């Protein structure tokens, strides 16, 4: 029964993640609530198996249809991989509780900004070039990559808003680039946590199959309906994540 419940959670996470990011806020709490006495590092490591599979599927699907702008995506990917591995190592050493408590407030700021800027992410107009673009991409990859390694939920949403706000992408192109970078963070964290024995492979593989199925549905919806659809789903998802993360951090 536990595996079936977590497979459903992984399917929903893959669908949400493919459209607007934030699938980890479905998958991670589901796993933590099902196995509350298991090591947090092992639970996070197990979710990375599912997340990496779903993100790879979504990234591949986007790459066949949406142009990936590698000037920003490439440096962000490299920095994200390195710092996600550092974050995963940190996870094995310290508790993630402070991040859990800060997350709903960060998401609230992100939501308020997105709602206030009604045209944000509706047009694709890359705004940075050259050294400024590379520097912004490296800083983005380093900061969000470290966060994904040490905790993770909401990473896709954070990446999307940065690609929209900082780099001038529309939501569809931002979603495509965020999937590529998120794939690197998931892979790095998985490699580090697996090397330390913090992965429950049987459960992770069951969740991976379900996550891929969800990501197929989600990426198909995003590509069919475009940036305005992705923006609407993004606002709904982040609103739900604020409620969920606040409840988990302060009331549960």
């Amino acid at each position: 029964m536990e595996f079936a419940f977590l497979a459903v959670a992984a399917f929903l996470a893959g669908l949400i993640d493919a459209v607007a990011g934030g699938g980890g806020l479905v998958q991670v709490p589901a796993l933590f609530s099902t196995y509350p006495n298991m090591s947090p590092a092992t639970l996070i490591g197990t979710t990375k198996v599912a997340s990496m599979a779903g993100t790879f599927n979504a990234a591949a699907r986007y790459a066949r249809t949406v142009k990936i702008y590698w000037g920003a995506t490439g440096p962000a990917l490299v920095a994200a991989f390195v710092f996600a591995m550092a974050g995963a190592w940190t996870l094995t050493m310290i508790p993630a509780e402070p991040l859990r408590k800060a997350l709903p407030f960060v998401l609230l700021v992100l939501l308020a900004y997105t709602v206030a800027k009604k045209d944000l992410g509706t047009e694709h107009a890359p705004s940075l070039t050259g050294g400024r673009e590379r520097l912004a991409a490296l800083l983005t990859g380093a900061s969000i990559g470290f966060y994904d390694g040490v905790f993770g939920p909401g990473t896709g949403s954070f990446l999307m808003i940065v690609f929209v706000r900082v780099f001038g992408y529309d939501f569809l192109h931002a979603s495509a680039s965020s999937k590529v970078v998120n794939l690197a963070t998931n892979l790095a964290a998985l490699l580090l946590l697996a090397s330390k024995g913090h992965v429950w492979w049987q459960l992770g593989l069951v969740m991976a199959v379900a996550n891929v199925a969800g990501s197929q549905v989600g990426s198909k919806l995003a590509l069919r309906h475009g940036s305005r659809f992705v923006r609407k789903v993004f606002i709904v998802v982040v609103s739900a994540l604020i409620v969920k993360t606040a409840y988990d951090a302060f009331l549960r």
Side-chain angles (χ1 to χ4, degrees):
M1 287 298 294
E2 289 89 353
F3 275 35
F5 167 72
L6 291 169
V8 172
F11 176 87
L12 293 174
L15 190 156
I16 293 167
D17 219 28
V19 178
L25 268 299
V26 176
Q27 196 164 253
V28 172
L31 198 52
F32 272 70
S33 63
T34 305
Y35 299 105
N37 298 320
M38 189 171 288
S39 162
T42 300
L43 295 177
I44 294 294
T46 302
T47 67
K48 293 303 180 186
V49 180
S51 296
M52 192 184 75
T55 306
F56 176 81
N57 177 77
R61 191 177 183 91
Y62 277 114
R64 291 194 297 268
T65 311
V66 179
K67 181 179 178 180
I68 304 292
Y69 288 80
W70 291 104
T73 307
L77 183 156
V78 173
F81 183 91
V82 173
F83 279 84
M85 191 166 284
W89 177 82
T90 303
L91 172 64
T92 66
M93 308 296 289
I94 64 169
E97 189 66 19
L99 282 172
R100 268 201 331 135
K101 291 188 180 297
L103 186 57
F105 299 103
V106 176
L107 287 168
L108 185 60
V109 172
L110 185 155
L111 175 65
Y113 184 84
T114 304
V115 171
K117 300 284 187 178
K118 297 188 182 301
D119 293 329
L120 185 70
T122 58
E123 295 184 3
H124 185 67
S127 56
L128 297 177
T129 58
R132 291 178 62 201
E133 181 182 45
R134 286 190 294 273
L135 178 60
L138 289 170
L139 291 173
T140 297
S143 56
I144 298 180
F146 184 84
Y147 167 75
D148 194 34
V150 79
F151 189 47
T155 295
S157 299
F158 291 136
L159 284 168
M160 278 189 64
I161 199 64
V162 170
F163 276 110
V164 169
R165 177 63 184 89
V166 176
F167 296 100
Y169 293 8
D170 64 18
F171 270 100
L172 187 61
H173 286 85
S175 186
S177 289
S178 70
K179 296 299 169 291
V180 174
V181 177
N182 205 178
L183 177 61
T185 65
N186 284 328
L187 176 59
L190 177 60
L191 289 173
L192 191 286
L193 293 171
S195 73
K196 293 184 173 292
H198 286 297
V199 176
W200 185 0
W201 288 104
Q202 296 94 322
L203 176 58
L205 291 172
V206 169
M207 294 177 69
V209 172
N211 197 288
V212 168
S215 75
Q216 288 273 27
V217 175
S219 55
K220 184 176 181 178
L221 288 171
L223 291 168
R224 177 183 296 174
H225 297 291
S227 288
R228 291 189 180 276
F229 170 76
V230 176
R231 183 182 189 274
K232 290 176 182 177
V233 175
F234 179 82
I235 290 172
V236 171
V237 168
V238 173
S239 299
L241 296 185
I242 291 169
V243 175
K244 176 61 176 171
T245 53
Y247 174 78
D248 287 345
F250 298 104
L251 299 177
R252 189 167 182 171

